[in-house]
Amino acid sequence: DTGVSQNPRHKITKRGQNVTFRCDPISEHNRLYWYRQTLGQGPEFLTYFQNEAQLEKSRLLSDRFSAERPKGSFSTLEIQRTEQGDSAMYLCASSLSRDYTFGSGTRLTVV
Amino acid sequence: GQQVMQIPQYQHVQEGEDFTTYCNSSTTLSNIQWYKQRPGGHPVFLIQLVKSGEVKKQKRLTFQFGEAKKNSSLHITATQTTDVGTYFCAGPTNTGNQFYFGTGTSLTVIP
């Protein structure tokens, strides 16, 4: 386990469909974050887990978005009833203390 | 709300020239981090600054944290084509659980 793994790398979906992304953090990292990044912008915070507890959620995370980290290891991010505005790169990061290690992201395109 | 702004948004330099990006926060930061994102890649952690007035160097990169802990800069001496990418600063939120990323400075190095 050399880094943060995200699957799939790319996802194209039709508007209105549900999608789910997976993140496998670095195994000893207890903190896990989801960020969203659109072209030309910095990553925007979505949600944060410490172990299995979801401790913080951004107001960006509408009720169509839900994230889980059931056993404090991998995490999933689900988007229901996708909209074109959801098209973005979804980045997962994990950390043990100070700095993030980001995964390669899942690029979502809603058509 | 808390904002982290970066200038310039874009910078084109000839290889060998110096480059500086500036980061400004609307609030005092307990620490600041810098990340580099190559085109098509994900953000990679570079450094964290914690102390007022702190200066850290990594080879040709010099990072500085302002005395008031509201601004920071990244200076690259004698740029190389491998320096191409977007440089983001990130400051922690009040809870410290996650970071606000700046808007980024996209660096292009012309060989």
Side-chain angles (χ1 to χ4, degrees), chain B residues 1-109:
Chain B
Q2 182 176 357
Q3 287 187 329
V4 179
M5 305 297 292
Q6 278 182 260
I7 54 170
Q9 190 174 0
Y10 303 98
Q11 185 79 57
H12 291 68
V13 299
Q14 289 288 139
E15 190 172 16
E17 291 182 339
D18 293 355
F19 159 77
T20 304
T21 173
Y22 299 92
C23 178
N24 294 290
S25 170
S26 56
T27 59
T28 302
L29 301 170
S30 59
N31 63 81
I32 194 159
Q33 297 184 352
W34 285 91
Y35 291 79
K36 176 183 179 181
Q37 186 172 22
R38 293 181 185 274
H42 57 273
V44 174
F45 174 80
L46 294 176
I47 207 160
Q48 175 171 279
L49 304 171
V50 179
K51 299 177 184 176
S52 169
E54 187 171 14
V55 178
K56 286 189 177 179
K57 292 191 175 185
Q58 290 179 351
K59 298 182 180 178
R60 295 178 294 104
L61 277 61
T62 302
F63 303 84
Q64 190 164 7
F65 201 8
E67 293 289 342
K69 302 182 76 172
K70 294 180 74 172
N71 57 71
S72 182
S73 64
L74 159 59
H75 179 82
I76 303 178
T77 304
T79 53
Q80 300 175 359
T81 54
T82 53
D83 296 326
V84 165
T86 301
Y87 293 84
F88 293 100
C89 61
T93 61
N94 292 336
T95 63
N97 288 333
Q98 43 99 356
F99 280 76
Y100 280 114
F101 280 77
T103 45
T105 296
S106 176
L107 172 64
T108 300
V109 179

